[in-house]
Amino acid sequence: MSIINGALYVVATPIGNLGDISQRALEVLSAVAVIAAEDTRHSGQLLHHFGIRTPTIALHDHNERAVSESIVARLQAGEAVALVSDAGTPLISDPGYHLVVQARAAGCRVVPVPGASALLAALSASGLPSDRFIFEGFLPAKAGGRTARLESLRDEPRTLLFYEAPHRIEASIAAMAAVFGADRPAVIARELTKTFETIQGGSLAALSSWLADDANQRKGEFVVVVGGAPVEASLVDAEAERVLRLLLAEMSIKQAATLTAKITGAKKNLLYQFALEISAD
Ligand code: SAM
């Protein structure tokens, strides 16, 4: 394949199953001058597996700003560079943000080579609403910060996605049950694409017991998918609902919600959510 001189390629790698590497990722990794890797030893094993001999340099959270400068200099000198992280898509709870910012600021071309990402793999198999979702990455490690973050998300109507570490999964699910309510539906997606892949759904209370009952289910890597807060029809009063329904017959959901908010003084976001629900019926 022809590689673009002076381009930074942001290359996704597998999250477990090596079969998920793309043909284009292999071609790019073979063709670039150098691969910036979160952990050169870890990525070295992947590259060795595919017979790729491109040199690597380390780019991780602790040296990213400094190393980015030298990588941008190489890009400006016409070299093509690839960026990979240990697994999945770089920049998604992984290093690379500062490099991409610096490369773009310097006018260099940044080319994505898409592939695996644990959050989309989990969402795609979760059976929870996938039309609108938000990704929250890792929750704060300490209990106080975690609860505060969860409280800020309590009324979020979109599906929520979190990454979680094995030593915190039980505490996080318990905290979610306490803040979002024991009945809120959720899915724990564990060890995706690997031998012990498990995708377990249930209420947060049921998932808490499931984790407590089986130590094996607390091992490995996790994505937690949580259903959004239900939008209570009662939050939209009868008059606002009447106006909204009339306007929905004549115009788009967005226009109807905006106009109903102006006419009735009800909250536009709430009306919009409610309009989405009644239009889907
Ligand atoms: N850049 C990666 C991506 O695109 O998904 C994520 C990197 S982040 C440092 C690692 C976290 O992603 C893990 O702690 C876990 O929450 C999630 N993760 C990565 N691989 C996974 C897998 N195979 N199954 C479930 N979760 C995974």
Side-chain angles (χ1 to χ4, degrees), residues 31-51:
V32 292
V34 67
I35 299 169
E38 182 182 8
D39 177 340
T40 50
R41 252 205 300 177
H42 182 97
S43 296
Q45 290 169 2
L46 178 86
L47 299 173
H48 178 77
H49 177 88
F50 290 109

Side-chain angles (χ1 to χ4, degrees), residues 51-259:
I52 295 170
R53 292 200 187 80
T54 309
T56 56
I57 51 171
L59 179 137
H60 43 68
D61 284 337
H62 306 293
N63 72 357
E64 184 174 345
R65 283 171 198 257
V67 171
S68 294
E69 262 178 50
S70 64
I71 292 177
V72 170
R74 293 180 73 157
L75 293 169
Q76 287 176 319
E79 285 187 332
V81 178
L83 167 70
V84 298
S85 59
D86 284 356
T89 302
L91 281 84
I92 306 302
S93 295
D94 266 343
Y97 171 73
H98 297 290
L99 174 58
V100 168
V101 168
Q102 287 188 33
R104 291 184 59 86
C108 303
R109 180 129 174 223
V110 179
V111 182
V113 182
S117 190
L119 78 110
L120 289 181
L123 179 66
S124 69
S126 69
L128 289 170
S130 53
D131 50 346
R132 301 176 74 221
F133 61 90
I134 61 166
F135 173 57
E136 280 289 316
F138 290 95
L139 283 166
K142 292 192 180 148
R146 180 171 56 212
T147 300
R149 176 75 53 82
L150 291 173
E151 276 171 355
S152 75
L153 296 167
R154 191 197 330 254
D155 299 324
E156 170 58 59
R158 292 169 288 186
T159 297
L160 300 141
L161 286 129
F162 302 90
Y163 282 167
E164 198 44 280
H167 58 285
R168 283 200 279 266
I169 185 71
E170 244 191 310
S172 281
I173 296 291
M176 287 177 192
V179 175
F180 297 151
D183 294 336
R184 185 82 77 90
V187 168
I188 295 179
R190 171 180 162 262
E191 292 290 271
L192 292 168
T193 77
K194 303 190 219 177
T195 310
F196 296 109
E197 178 180 272
T198 312
I199 300 172
Q200 179 76 14
S203 67
L204 284 167
L207 290 173
S208 245
S209 322
W210 178 74
L211 285 173
D213 289 350
D214 185 351
N216 283 326
Q217 303 299 351
R218 306 196 291 269
K219 293 181 186 156
E221 299 193 280
F222 298 87
V223 182
V224 180
V225 192
V226 183
V231 177
E232 303 288 346
S234 58
L235 291 178
V236 173
D237 71 28
E239 175 59 7
E241 182 177 344
R242 191 184 69 79
V243 174
L244 184 65
R245 283 188 187 275
L246 280 173
L247 295 180
L248 273 175
E250 307 297 330
M251 57 189 76
S252 74
I253 289 180
K254 200 170 165 201
Q255 288 171 323
T258 307
L259 212 50

Side-chain angles (χ1 to χ4, degrees), residues 6-52:
L8 172 67
Y9 289 87
V10 183
V11 181
T13 56
I15 55 169
N17 188 326
L18 294 186
D20 291 336
I21 192 99
S22 73
Q23 183 62 37
R24 186 160 166 247
L26 292 176
E27 288 170 2
V28 166
L29 293 173
S30 303
V32 292
V34 67
I35 299 169
E38 182 182 8
D39 177 340
T40 50
R41 252 205 300 177
H42 182 97
S43 296
Q45 290 169 2
L46 178 86
L47 299 173
H48 178 77
H49 177 88
F50 290 109
I52 295 170

